[in-house]
Amino acid sequence: EMIVVLASEKQMNFKLKSNNLMRTLLLVVFFYSCNNFSNLDSKKEFDIAQSLLNDSQNYELAITYFKNIFKTYPYSEEAKKSLFMIGYIYNNNLHAYSDAYNYYNIFIKKYPNDDLHASVKYELESLFPIINQIDSLATVNDWKDKRYI
């Protein structure tokens, strides 16, 4: 089943310039109509995820794609890059520091000798003060909870 949307070239150009999400959605629809998602390879799916991240700033959906690549194509180069990107987005875009810390540590364990290892260590070092603060706040909250029981 295919849905066809007709629009003038002028309308499409305006929408593409005014909304990067439209461009990303068109890319996804194009890949879907040509290949069906079940036949996407890791490189095409990585391109979609990158487009969602860079063109649309749709971080949650980009993470969903990157996670799917890591799960579906675990031995591909894109799986490794996807794992890094998940940590990067959590850290630098969503400020979900605990999630970033967890994904970066998965990367370190899974790819200890990789070229991206130095970048991951750098990201982790920037997270240590934040993670320590989160841990100390959790300890204080645990103590308060126990005190009032």
Side-chain angles (χ1 to χ4, degrees):
E1 182 177 315
M2 184 187 290
I3 299 172
V4 178
V5 177
L6 297 177
S8 71
E9 185 177 339
K10 187 176 181 180
Q11 289 171 323
M12 289 302 292
N13 284 336
F14 173 76
K15 287 182 181 177
L16 288 175
K17 288 178 184 173
S18 66
N19 188 354
N20 285 333
L21 180 58
M22 178 64 87
R23 180 176 37 198
T24 302
L25 291 174
L26 288 173
L27 178 67
V28 171
V29 168
F30 172 76
F31 280 133
Y32 181 75
S33 65
C34 292
N35 300 303
N36 199 340
F37 277 127
S38 63
N39 294 329
L40 282 178
D41 65 22
S42 60
K43 290 179 180 159
K44 289 177 186 170
E45 200 162 336
F46 190 84
D47 288 344
I48 292 171
Q50 287 285 79
S51 182
L52 288 164
L53 170 63
N54 297 321
D55 296 337
S56 305
Q57 286 87 39
N58 191 333
Y59 306 122
E60 292 85 2
L61 191 54
I63 286 173
T64 299
Y65 271 84
F66 286 129
K67 285 180 178 179
N68 187 59
I69 294 165
F70 183 71
K71 178 181 160 193
T72 307
Y73 312 100
Y75 303 107
S76 70
E77 183 71 18
E78 288 75 22
K80 176 180 58 176
K81 292 177 188 175
S82 292
L83 186 57
F84 175 80
M85 292 307 300
I86 294 165
Y88 185 87
I89 294 168
Y90 276 134
N91 186 26
N92 296 289
N93 300 111
L94 298 177
H95 309 292
Y97 303 117
S98 295
D99 290 328
Y101 182 81
N102 291 333
Y103 279 96
Y104 283 144
N105 277 305
I106 292 168
F107 186 97
I108 293 287
K109 288 176 187 165
K110 188 158 178 73
Y111 308 106
N113 300 317
D114 190 77
D115 292 341
L116 285 172
H117 196 268
S119 297
V120 172
K121 284 192 86 169
Y122 175 80
E123 291 284 319
L124 277 171
E125 287 171 6
S126 73
L127 282 171
F128 285 142
I130 298 167
I131 295 300
N132 287 335
Q133 186 175 11
I134 290 169
D135 289 345
S136 67
L137 289 173
T139 302
V140 168
N141 284 337
D142 287 346
W143 178 80
K144 286 180 181 178
D145 289 344
K146 290 176 185 172
R147 195 173 123 199
Y148 292 112
I149 291 179

